[in-house]
Amino acid sequence: MKADCENFILLLQEHSETVLDDAHKEHLASCANCRRLLEIHDRSFARLKQGFTLSASAREAILGKVQKMIAEEKSSKSRSSDFSLAFWLRSWRLQISFAAVLFMLMAGLWYSGKSQPDNTMQISGSATILKNFKKIALENTLIQLETGEKVTILNGRVDLCWQNSEKVSIDGMLDFAVQENNIDAKSGQATLTFLPAAAGYIITTRLMLVKILGTTVVLELSDNQDAISVIKGKVEWSLLDGTEKREVSAGTKMIVTRHPEGLKVTEDICQKEIPESSSNQLLEVGAKKTGNKWTPLEKN
Amino acid sequence: MSYRNLEVDSEFLLSLKRQDNKAFETLFHACAGLVFSIALSLLGKRSAAEDAVQEIFFKAYRALPDFKGEKLASWLGKIAHNHCVDLLRQTNREVSTTSVPVEDLHLHQSNSAVDELPDFINALSETEREVVILKKVEGLSYKEISLLTGKKEGTLRNMVLKCLQSLREIVDES
């Protein structure tokens, strides 16, 4: 085979549609074999193209069958999921019913617990208190308190609980009422030690508002003066009308005095230990209330 | 419509991945010819090829949600090629269990000769026939055929050359 004939075959090998350049045209003009090869090549592959054509009707028929297969698969999938659901429901109906009843009971209990907030407040400790003008000796017994109920600690130490959890201990004499997350202190002198769980609780006096941030404080409330000494931790202190507000750390005493011209705020230092004179002494000796004033009782 | 005219934009691809019927019909009409050529060249019988086209498009429909965004025709061509090769393997396994006299075995020749096809094509193996058809009938480049069949371009060129040499022999004999 001549080199030109080999080149011609390579041309046919490379292209699906034969495009002849001048060199190949010149070769074809002089080579009968390659002319004949091109003729047979073109005719054969033209015939092949016809043979490999998918008629429009066959095409539509195939598409129809594919679409039918798809539809059948979709419906069998939904049938099998229906069947499996029905099967499971049938075989597990007793268990499912039991679980449903259990779930409803649990949900009911949960809902009743959630819908009625636990507002219970209790007082306990070792102290003598006045509750609704009735003298009660607490000997570690737990007594229920109503919201806003007035309590007077005559002597000793009490623990106040909110939602069955102890939040604050009070040593000393104090006239107060308990509210939700709030001690409304009227008068008296006492040391209040708040547990960490009481962070955010509030003490309200006639002149000031104290937000607890994990603290032991001493309250000294008299006719025209309210004072708070921060012994441990810190509080967010403010005047009741909100005109003054600051964070007060341990060792600081805030005194608010009522004057004819208005309220006077004095900041003083205090010991970081509970003063003997405040609650401990009072705890030992008790106190009596005359009008709005508390006075320590003499021993015996 | 041919797969070469198929406009593949992101919206069309998304519709296909969602197995949208309209988009699937468009894909079918664009690529049915190519898939049929692959099936007929490998399987050798029109009826078998038509059945295969049906199964290939059903397979493709199921695989559409996993389509990763390569060329649609190549993806479909690969499914077609693999499906038909699997069918051929099954057929050959069945054939191998029957006893055939040695003189009836035609080595290097297709087991599935296509009716009404010229001898120079029928003399090729199924794989060679597929390559020649994809090159000369479907007009695919060697690179595209390589992607479908997984064969090297050099091997594909040799297969086409073998077919052309058969044609040359016919010319020389005449």
Side-chain angles (χ1 to χ4, degrees), chain A residues 181-201:
Chain A
N181 305 348
N182 187 351
I183 294 171
D184 191 5
K186 310 285 184 201
S187 63
Q189 194 173 345
T191 302
L192 291 85
T193 304
F194 288 86
L195 273 82
Y201 275 55

Side-chain angles (χ1 to χ4, degrees), chain B:
Chain B
M1 190 189 195
S2 155
Y3 64 92
R4 294 205 182 274
N5 306 326
L6 184 63
E7 282 183 27
V8 183
D9 56 18
S10 56
E11 199 180 330
F12 178 67
L13 282 179
L14 270 178
S15 306
L16 276 178
K17 281 172 84 78
R18 284 197 302 263
Q19 295 179 311
D20 175 73
N21 285 341
K22 202 82 189 161
F24 180 70
E25 257 183 55
T26 308
L27 176 72
F28 177 88
H29 285 300
C31 298
L34 172 70
V35 171
F36 179 70
S37 291
I38 294 170
L40 183 57
S41 60
L42 282 169
L43 303 174
K45 286 194 174 149
R46 190 166 272 275
S47 60
E50 287 181 359
D51 288 346
V53 172
Q54 183 185 321
E55 286 155 14
I56 289 159
F57 273 98
F58 183 56
K59 242 183 201 178
Y61 177 85
R62 286 168 145 185
L64 276 173
D66 300 322
F67 178 67
K68 294 281 185 285
E70 55 194 305
K71 282 186 177 172
L72 265 173
S74 298
W75 175 73
L76 202 55
K78 254 188 249 177
I79 295 176
H81 173 83
N82 293 338
H83 178 81
C84 295
V85 168
D86 284 347
L87 284 178
L88 276 177
R89 282 196 191 122
Q90 285 168 20
T91 314
N92 288 343
R93 226 176 281 140
E94 284 161 20
V95 168
S96 69
T97 58
T98 60
S99 54
V100 181
V102 176
E103 56 272 23
D104 288 355
L105 288 172
H106 299 284
L107 297 174
H108 306 298
Q109 192 172 333
S110 162
N111 289 330
S112 52
V114 181
D115 304 333
E116 299 173 19
L117 285 185
D119 290 342
F120 77 94
I121 292 290
N122 272 338
L124 301 171
S125 70
E126 288 92 353
T127 316
E128 289 166 342
R129 204 160 60 203
E130 183 194 21
V131 172
V132 171
I133 297 300
L134 287 174
K135 179 70 191 164
K136 291 289 180 180
V137 175
E138 288 299 327
L140 265 63
S141 67
Y142 285 113
K143 194 179 175 183
E144 288 169 321
I145 301 170
S146 173
L147 281 173
L148 291 192
T149 59
K151 289 190 163 39
K152 289 181 178 170
E153 288 183 40
T155 311
L156 300 174
R157 282 193 169 84
N158 285 339
M159 288 177 176
V160 174
L161 187 63
K162 182 185 169 185
C163 169
L164 293 170
Q165 279 166 344
S166 301
L167 269 182
R168 166 74 77 183
E169 280 167 19
I170 294 167
V171 171
D172 290 346
E173 282 167 12
S174 66

Side-chain angles (χ1 to χ4, degrees), chain A residues 45-238:
Chain A
F45 285 111
R47 255 187 70 198
L48 268 181
K49 268 187 190 170
Q50 282 179 350
F52 276 79
T53 306
L54 189 60
S55 68
S57 59
R59 195 181 282 248
E60 287 303 325
I62 294 169
L63 178 61
K65 284 178 190 170
V66 176
Q67 285 169 334
K68 197 178 163 193
M69 286 167 87
I70 292 168
E72 276 173 7
E73 193 189 50
K74 277 183 183 169
S75 72
S76 77
K77 262 186 188 170
S78 69
R79 265 203 310 276
S80 71
S81 64
D82 288 351
F83 167 77
S84 54
L85 183 63
F87 174 79
W88 283 107
L89 284 174
R90 217 172 24 249
S91 16
W92 291 85
R93 62 187 170 198
L94 191 65
Q95 288 88 337
I96 289 168
S97 314
F98 179 73
V101 169
L102 199 65
F103 176 76
M104 283 190 289
L105 277 172
M106 299 274 283
L109 280 174
W110 177 81
Y111 181 74
S112 63
K114 280 273 168 190
S115 61
Q116 292 168 356
D118 188 1
N119 285 330
T120 54
M121 287 168 287
Q122 290 140 336
I123 188 166
S124 71
S126 177
T128 308
I129 62 165
L130 281 177
K131 180 175 173 271
N132 287 334
F133 307 106
K134 193 178 165 190
K135 193 172 174 181
I136 300 169
L138 290 175
E139 283 164 358
N140 295 318
T141 46
L142 208 61
I143 291 176
Q144 206 74 23
L145 293 178
E146 299 298 323
T147 304
E149 196 171 9
K150 195 179 167 189
V151 178
T152 306
I153 306 171
L154 298 176
N155 60 51
R157 176 191 168 110
V158 298
D159 298 319
L160 285 180
C161 305
W162 276 263
Q163 289 98 36
N164 297 313
S165 153
E166 191 184 319
K167 297 288 187 321
V168 57
S169 294
I170 307 175
D171 262 7
M173 300 173 300
L174 195 66
D175 226 0
F176 67 96
V178 284
Q179 311 282 350
E180 195 183 346
N181 305 348
N182 187 351
I183 294 171
D184 191 5
K186 310 285 184 201
S187 63
Q189 194 173 345
T191 302
L192 291 85
T193 304
F194 288 86
L195 273 82
Y201 275 55
I202 287 168
I203 303 168
T204 316
T205 70
R206 289 160 306 173
L207 303 177
M208 53 187 195
L209 190 143
V210 178
K211 190 174 179 184
I212 303 304
L213 305 170
T215 328
T216 298
V217 295
V218 172
L219 276 181
E220 295 166 280
L221 310 175
S222 59
D223 287 347
N224 291 314
Q225 183 176 289
D226 288 358
I228 183 164
S229 305
V230 183
I231 309 299
K232 273 186 201 166
K234 56 185 175 181
V235 298
E236 193 180 284
W237 170 92
S238 65

